[in-house]
Amino acid sequence: MSIHKKPEPPAPVCSFCGRPNTMVGRLIAGDGANICSECVSQCAALLNKADANGVPCNTPQGLQVSGENASALAALLAALTSGKTTISDLNAAAANGVGDGAAGGTSDSGARGGKRGPVDASTAGAGSAAGSGRGGKKSAGGVSVVEPDNAPPKPVKLIPPAEIRAVLDDYVIGQDQAKKVLSVAVYNHYKRLNAKLAADARKKSGEPEPPPVEPFAADLAGVEVEKSNILLLGPTGCGKTLLARTLARVLDVPFAIADATTVTEAGYVGEDVESIVQRLLAAANFNIGRAETGIIYIDEIDKLALKGDSPHVSRNLGQGVQHALLKIVEGSVCNVPPQGGRKHPDQQYAQVNTENILFICGGAFVGLDEIIARRVGSRFLGFDVTSATTGGEPLTAEQIMENLQPEDLFDYGLIPEFVGRLPVVSALSELTQKDLERVLTEPRNSLTRQYRKLFALDGVELVFDAGAVAAIAAKTLALKTGARGLRSVIERLMLDTMYSLPQERDAARVTITADSVEGKAPPVVERRK
């Protein structure tokens, strides 16, 4: 089964101020450049002043006419001088749906820099609508006007958990429990979201609530299902990030991956927590309604933990970020800088409601198994690492993870409020040698296929025999870096061959054997006759 997201066209932006069409009232598309309604208002005021005085006037503050901007203004002036468009037409098009907000004030469609509502379909001095929906355009006296893309989100196509799991199996080896948890959580999340979108549409249109299909659901009318965010635990290289990336292939929703280590609390150098939502907004092509139905994966969340009991300020920075993430993860309206980075007073923001955004957090949580072992009574650091529940056998890290309780995460350094907002927890197992061998050969984009393709570009066939695959997996297992170590081992193994092969025009096939991996013999190169 193969499900892929369709690429979306880039959102048109104003060539003057750089804002996307979702942040402005109207966007006038010229020949190779665009100009928004607010910049049109400034141009109209500029031209009116010049006509009244009979002399050119200075450029308004913030309106730089040069380079790409000059082509946008030239297209605008060409439309004006051709007689097809007048200043009054442009003023009417700028005012429609923007009102006084075009001059920097507020209007019924939202404050400047805030989230704008739908724009009225009628335009003074303009032609009939040429289209509607995403990126719809209208003609205003020969100049095309791009409608803002603030339409309400559409229902998401539900994919059964078994089908989601099947796609995850194509790319990720093992981790059956984590795949099952993710598949069910994503399915339930969008089933809940579709029900909420349908209820909102009925409320907006004034339609009554439909009667329950089943008699046992009679008392469920008006019940709101809350979202369940996910926490993934597991050692490095076990597939946490790959599971998140593969979900993006399955779902036709915006998906963003953020790194918790780049975020700092307010007042410190770095990015605000809202920059995480900004990544999702960019993935949604700056469509706010679509971004509000997406998924965010926050990697390295364990690096925000407060380590030890020291009150030193450097140890408390991660805890401050946890506090800042609380409202975003739970669901709130946050002001997102469209260009990312820090906020400043004169910046314009996009308001994004995170109530329907699914958050998946992942981390290695090194040392968490020791905390759990101490709580359940195992002498983890002593000579007898055993437990009564295993009949005297040594307690593995995976068995310890099965006993995970919220208090263990508190001891690790996560605050209780943050842990409570991640109710679904799944632990991933460390990959064994057999798992690493399967990672090398079975996934759709396995490493052996990747290197075979690299050699095929030079017209050479690359072959890994069974002994070589086992030897590479054994060598990687000793590195303790999980699946990521496979590429490191293969790169060192293939370095000399990849260096000399482009000069050897008669090479036809390269075979990697177990002796090649262990350094006892070079790879076998077969020549063309």
Side-chain angles (χ1 to χ4, degrees), residues 65 96 140 193 230 243 292 350 420 457 491 523:
V65 183
N96 187 14
L193 177 60
I230 306 169
L243 280 171
E292 292 176 345
L457 294 176
E491 282 289 337

Side-chain angles (χ1 to χ4, degrees), residues 447-465:
L447 278 178
T448 54
R449 286 191 174 97
Q450 293 180 34
Y451 281 93
R452 284 175 56 198
K453 183 171 182 178
L454 276 179
F455 276 67
L457 294 176
D458 287 329
V460 179
E461 181 184 2
L462 177 64
V463 178
F464 291 86
D465 64 19

Side-chain angles (χ1 to χ4, degrees), residues 33 51 110 143 165 206 210-211 216 219 280 362 455 457 494 503 526:
D51 290 341
V143 180
R165 162 74 182 274
F216 59 80
D219 61 335
L280 183 66
F455 276 67
L457 294 176
M494 307 290 293
Q503 286 78 29
E526 299 180 19

